[in-house]
Amino acid sequence: MKLYFDDEGFDGQLQRTIGKCDSGMANVGECLYIASRITPGDRDSWYSEWSRFADGLMAQAAAAERGGHATSAASLRLRASEYYRQAFFWHRDEFGAKELTTAYRASVDAFRRVLADLPRPSRIVEGDTPGYLFAPSGTGPFPTILHIGGYDGTAEELYASAYPALDRGWAFVGLDGPGQGSVLYDRRVPQRPGWENVVPGMFDLVAGLPNVDARQIVLVGRSFGGLLASRGAAGEPRLAALIVDPGQCDMAAVLAARFGELWKGVDDPAAKGQFDALLKIPALRTLLGPRMLTNGVADPQSYFQDMRRYTSVELAPSIRCPSFVTDNETDHVSAGQGQQLHDAMTCPKVFRRFTREEGAEGHCEGMAPIVFWTAAFDWLDTTLH
């Protein structure tokens, strides 16, 4: 479904931010105004308009704070944090890029200034996989969502998924892992497929936090996190449940279908020039540059070779906890792999395909994340009693 831009990438990212309106991290009117000022396809225009508007919100927040309006200041900074994150999205191809370093730091700083004014307890989580804990009011221990991000997400962005948990009496922890957020941009640790060796450490970290019920920690992975979380669950038998949206199990298969004949030369050294030539195509340079940086590789052919390691079907039978696996009838990213992952699992499991008729069209249910969370928590209520 087109929202504003003809450019599919620009429009998809605009929808990604508008999908956060329910959480207070965005506003429809603001987002559409920002979009109206962007030159389609121009990543520099994208950066300048999102960051300029975020700067304005931060100035308003400072004025509100001086006037004693702490709640208004927090609301303004929360939206600014998301808009700064959006600003650097198309500039993630170089660690030293001014746009990335400036807007990423501004996003984190704005978000952390909000924490003290949130209506429910929150805290920064330190460690190898840093992030944030949000808890319901009252005394715990609480059942807890351990949420990991996708290919280009940040722990700050995951706050948009916290409110459905908090409203139901769950604690929520959003963490950055290898190749994500602060672990990538601050520590420069690239992505890796072996999250079966990452999630156990995350579990230990979360289980040691105050008010967390270690017997009821549920791992959630969305977007690329659907693949990472499924691998992670295979290495962590203490999880109470697993939720992946969408289920993904073979990233190379999707790339092979997209690049057709070129893919046949992925292991041929003589084909390196053909792969390098992809970077001369602006749209593919924008697509591949950030992915090469995230994976810690230097050229497109190496990136494609590396992505063949990102599979989960062979580990799916090792997942022991009850699992909720989704897909979406209009998701071109998952390419129907949710059903494939579900079928490879041997644990108690449920498969759910979201549809356009629900208003939940597209990758990760597009602009209707509440449809996903309603289904997920209803399943959790039934499964974990």
Side-chain angles (χ1 to χ4, degrees), residues 337-357:
Q337 290 188 6
Q339 185 74 64
Q340 185 180 351
L341 175 63
H342 169 270
D343 292 348
M345 290 175 164
T346 57
C347 58
K349 57 189 178 180
V350 166
F351 179 72
R352 172 71 149 84
R353 190 183 306 278
F354 294 98
T355 68
R356 169 182 280 183
E357 289 185 357

Side-chain angles (χ1 to χ4, degrees), residues 324-338:
F324 185 72
V325 183
T326 81
D327 213 322
N328 193 296
E329 67 177 0
T330 60
D331 190 343
H332 302 298
V333 176
S334 63
Q337 290 188 6

Side-chain angles (χ1 to χ4, degrees), residues 74-381:
S75 175
L76 290 158
R77 288 179 179 132
L78 189 60
R79 303 200 306 278
S81 175
E82 168 60 14
Y83 298 167
Y84 281 130
R85 184 207 63 79
Q86 190 63 274
F88 71 77
F89 183 83
W90 302 110
H91 286 273
R92 296 173 294 108
D93 53 354
E94 183 181 347
F95 280 123
K98 175 181 67 69
E99 295 86 355
L100 172 59
T101 56
T102 300
Y104 172 68
R105 181 47 50 197
S107 176
V108 174
D109 290 347
F111 185 79
R112 292 191 171 190
R113 293 186 69 179
V114 172
L115 295 180
D117 295 315
L118 290 175
R120 290 159 172 154
S122 61
R123 61 180 290 172
I124 297 170
V125 177
E126 304 286 0
D128 292 338
T129 55
Y132 304 92
L133 164 67
F134 306 97
S137 300
T139 58
F142 302 108
T144 300
I145 297 295
L146 163 54
H147 200 316
I148 62 174
Y151 201 77
D152 46 45
T154 66
E156 293 75 28
E157 179 184 20
L158 293 176
Y159 175 75
S161 297
Y163 76 93
L166 298 173
D167 287 347
R168 291 169 169 84
W170 286 65
F172 181 97
V173 180
L175 299 180
D176 285 329
Q180 299 173 332
S182 62
V183 180
L184 177 65
Y185 302 133
D186 292 334
R187 306 178 190 181
R188 303 197 177 183
V189 177
Q191 185 58 262
R192 65 186 67 165
W195 276 61
E196 61 274 19
N197 301 312
V198 175
V199 167
M202 288 182 160
F203 186 100
D204 291 339
L205 178 64
V206 172
L209 294 173
N211 293 327
V212 168
D213 184 349
R215 300 167 302 171
Q216 296 192 76
I217 296 176
V218 174
L219 179 63
V220 176
R222 303 187 71 200
S223 192
F224 189 70
L227 183 139
L228 301 177
S230 60
R231 290 193 64 127
E236 183 42 80
R238 294 172 292 177
L239 290 168
L242 168 69
I243 298 173
V244 288
D245 175 46
Q248 296 183 83
C249 54
D250 187 351
M251 303 310 298
V254 178
L255 291 170
R258 179 168 184 172
F259 287 92
E261 286 296 316
L262 181 62
W263 183 265
K264 296 178 180 179
V266 71
D267 288 319
D268 183 0
K272 184 178 184 302
Q274 293 177 274
F275 284 94
D276 288 345
L278 297 176
L279 298 179
K280 297 179 181 179
I281 303 171
L284 290 180
R285 183 173 65 248
T286 298
L287 173 74
L288 295 173
R291 286 162 171 76
M292 288 158 46
L293 180 136
T294 298
N295 283 45
V297 298
D299 59 79
Q301 189 177 39
S302 298
Y303 167 73
F304 290 134
Q305 291 170 348
D306 191 53
M307 288 305 288
R308 291 184 302 187
R309 300 191 299 150
Y310 290 84
T311 63
S312 61
V313 167
E314 73 281 4
L315 292 176
S318 299
I319 298 172
R320 302 178 188 176
C321 61
S323 297
F324 185 72
V325 183
T326 81
D327 213 322
N328 193 296
E329 67 177 0
T330 60
D331 190 343
H332 302 298
V333 176
S334 63
Q337 290 188 6
Q339 185 74 64
Q340 185 180 351
L341 175 63
H342 169 270
D343 292 348
M345 290 175 164
T346 57
C347 58
K349 57 189 178 180
V350 166
F351 179 72
R352 172 71 149 84
R353 190 183 306 278
F354 294 98
T355 68
R356 169 182 280 183
E357 289 185 357
E358 297 175 274
E361 181 177 3
H363 187 54
C364 292
E365 291 63 69
M367 293 183 289
I370 192 59
V371 177
F372 160 75
W373 283 114
T374 299
F377 274 108
D378 286 355
W379 174 79
L380 281 174
D381 288 345

